[in-house]
Amino acid sequence: MRVSASLTRIIGLANVVVVTVAIIGLSLLPTGARPHAKPQAGAKPQDTVPAPTLTPVGQPPGIVATPEFARQVGANELGKVPVLMYHRLLRKRMASLDRTPDQLMKELEKLAKRGYVPITAAEFAAGDIHVPAGKFPVVLTFDDGHPSHFALDVNGNPAPDTAVAVIQDVATRYPGFRPVATFWVNKEPFGLRDHASQAAALRWLTEHGYEVANHTWGHANLRALKRKRVREQIVRLERLFKKLGAPSSTTIALPYGALPRDKKAARTGSWDGSRYDFSGVFLAGAEPSLSPYAKNFDRGAIQRIQSNGKTGECRKWCSQYWLDWLDKHPGERYVSDGDPDRISMPEELQGNIVAKRGLQVIVY
């Protein structure tokens, strides 16, 4: 899909709107009681917790694709991928970025019925896409580490109406729907303030296949900071992950979608002797992302789509619009060949693949 100058201006405006609304939404964050993930009895805060063993959850067995098979399933691994952006889940929405648990449930059910399979932002940015043949990857992302994203009940299960509980429920009822997502958090993940609870929460999520990654220490507008402060905001959160025994981040979502003035500082750098190097930097809007195999894919500025309906300013750049658009333009959508070691595409697209991906290319 070629983007016209007018559409480019619309996308730019959309990012500005997302940033503005996010600021308003953050000012409305409730400060009352928050659900907390409780550590096991007798647990004590520690400076260092053993890192969990990471195992991909629900990845389908790979197959060996052929040109004939790729043609049969309509494989197009240079197609566009929806990376959906969520913020708070509230029973009663207080800002346009908010969604209710029921709205999240309905959107995930729609994705499952249409053949979408969730992957994490880390898997997407790395091009490590394991999706059954003929199906479509989707990336579910949640910003700010809000308490409505994850909490454990008294039995150690995801609390009702949290994002994780909704995802797990949909995955149970639609077995091909992988229960994975990416949570980009700040210095108090999911509203938790003590390290024992934080460690327990991150351990549960990573052991169940979810990604928890960097959204800066204090939800900083990186555009307004000097390079040194940008790096400090990123490194301080990475040090917290290390202290909690969580894996280092391989992706970052920029607060307000704002790139720093030195764009490279968002992806790689160092502060106070600690380095970071992300495989993907994610923005705040406002169209499906290019495939990570595409020649023009910019891993330093990956587009996302705000989850919302088709009203007001969302008529042409939020999730309902774009998911319907991809249904109407199936030739533009990423369709998996089911083979993680090969990239399959129609013959007319073979000039758009990035060189030296290290994977075998199938053209039909």
Side-chain angles (χ1 to χ4, degrees):
M1 180 182 71
R2 294 186 177 180
V3 181
S4 66
S6 61
L7 181 55
T8 300
R9 288 193 293 272
I10 292 172
I11 292 169
L13 177 60
N15 274 288
V16 172
V17 171
V18 168
V19 170
T20 303
V21 173
I23 295 172
I24 296 172
L26 285 169
S27 69
L28 296 173
L29 278 171
T31 57
R34 298 175 173 180
H36 284 216
K38 297 182 179 180
Q40 295 179 349
K44 297 180 179 179
Q46 302 179 58
D47 286 340
T48 303
V49 181
T53 301
L54 301 182
T55 303
V57 170
Q59 288 188 348
I63 64 169
V64 178
T66 65
E68 294 75 16
F69 182 76
R71 180 183 293 107
Q72 180 182 346
V73 300
N76 176 14
E77 296 185 319
L78 286 185
K80 294 182 177 296
V81 176
V83 181
L84 303 185
M85 177 182 68
Y86 300 91
H87 286 76
R88 298 181 301 181
L89 295 183
L90 302 176
R91 291 182 181 276
K92 183 177 180 180
R93 297 172 65 192
M94 299 173 63
S96 64
L97 284 175
D98 297 334
R99 303 297 273 163
T100 68
D102 186 59
Q103 286 173 328
L104 174 62
M105 178 78 73
K106 290 180 178 178
E107 184 155 79
L108 298 189
E109 289 175 338
K110 180 186 294 186
L111 291 169
K113 292 174 182 176
R114 293 185 181 184
Y116 285 94
V117 178
I119 61 175
T120 66
E123 291 169 337
F124 175 70
D128 183 23
I129 300 177
H130 294 249
V131 171
K135 302 295 185 180
F136 326 122
V138 62
V139 187
L140 309 176
T141 68
F142 295 81
D143 288 15
D144 306 338
H146 192 260
S148 63
H149 297 163
F150 178 69
L152 295 176
D153 63 19
V154 294
N155 297 315
N157 299 315
D161 288 344
T162 59
V164 172
V166 173
I167 293 169
Q168 296 288 129
D169 178 58
V170 173
T172 298
R173 291 184 287 109
Y174 297 89
F177 194 79
R178 283 181 73 208
V180 300
T182 295
F183 294 95
W184 281 304
V185 304
N186 307 118
K187 61 183 177 182
E188 294 181 357
F190 313 112
L192 303 169
R193 296 183 176 180
D194 66 280
H195 284 180
S197 294
Q198 292 172 347
L202 270 60
R203 185 183 308 114
W204 192 101
L205 288 166
T206 54
E207 287 180 350
H208 286 80
Y210 291 90
E211 177 188 6
V212 182
N214 202 307
H215 198 44
T216 75
W217 176 257
H219 201 275
N221 180 350
L222 301 185
R223 182 71 180 175
L225 300 182
K226 294 182 179 179
R227 183 189 305 169
K228 181 178 179 180
R229 295 307 175 197
V230 168
R231 293 172 172 175
E232 178 185 0
Q233 280 286 321
I234 295 171
V235 167
R236 289 184 70 186
L237 193 64
E238 289 303 304
R239 288 182 174 178
L240 175 64
F241 289 155
K242 183 177 182 180
K243 182 176 291 187
L244 299 177
S248 299
S249 303
T250 61
T251 65
I252 184 173
L254 302 175
Y256 315 112
L259 280 163
R261 283 168 286 181
D262 178 3
K263 178 181 174 181
K264 293 181 180 179
R267 185 177 172 194
T268 184
S270 64
W271 176 78
D272 192 31
S274 298
R275 292 196 57 80
Y276 60 91
D277 188 4
F278 300 122
S279 61
V281 177
F282 289 75
L283 305 179
E287 62 177 335
S289 173
L290 294 175
S291 163
Y293 312 132
K295 184 179 295 184
N296 293 328
F297 177 71
D298 183 357
R299 63 185 62 256
I302 301 172
Q303 291 280 4
R304 292 192 288 166
I305 305 168
Q306 177 188 328
S307 173
N308 220 317
K310 292 168 70 173
T311 60
E313 293 170 329
C314 273
R315 284 193 298 270
K316 288 191 175 181
W317 53 270
C318 290
S319 59
Q320 186 174 331
Y321 169 82
W322 279 114
L323 292 174
D324 289 346
W325 188 92
L326 289 169
D327 281 346
K328 295 174 184 176
H329 301 81
E332 298 282 354
R333 179 166 51 194
Y334 186 113
V335 182
S336 175
D337 65 2
D339 186 343
D341 295 324
R342 290 165 175 79
I343 306 172
S344 296
M345 70 200 75
E347 183 177 8
E348 62 269 20
L349 297 179
Q350 63 179 319
N352 295 330
I353 190 170
V354 67
K356 300 179 180 179
R357 275 296 310 181
L359 302 178
Q360 182 177 337
V361 176
I362 293 179
V363 177
Y364 63 91

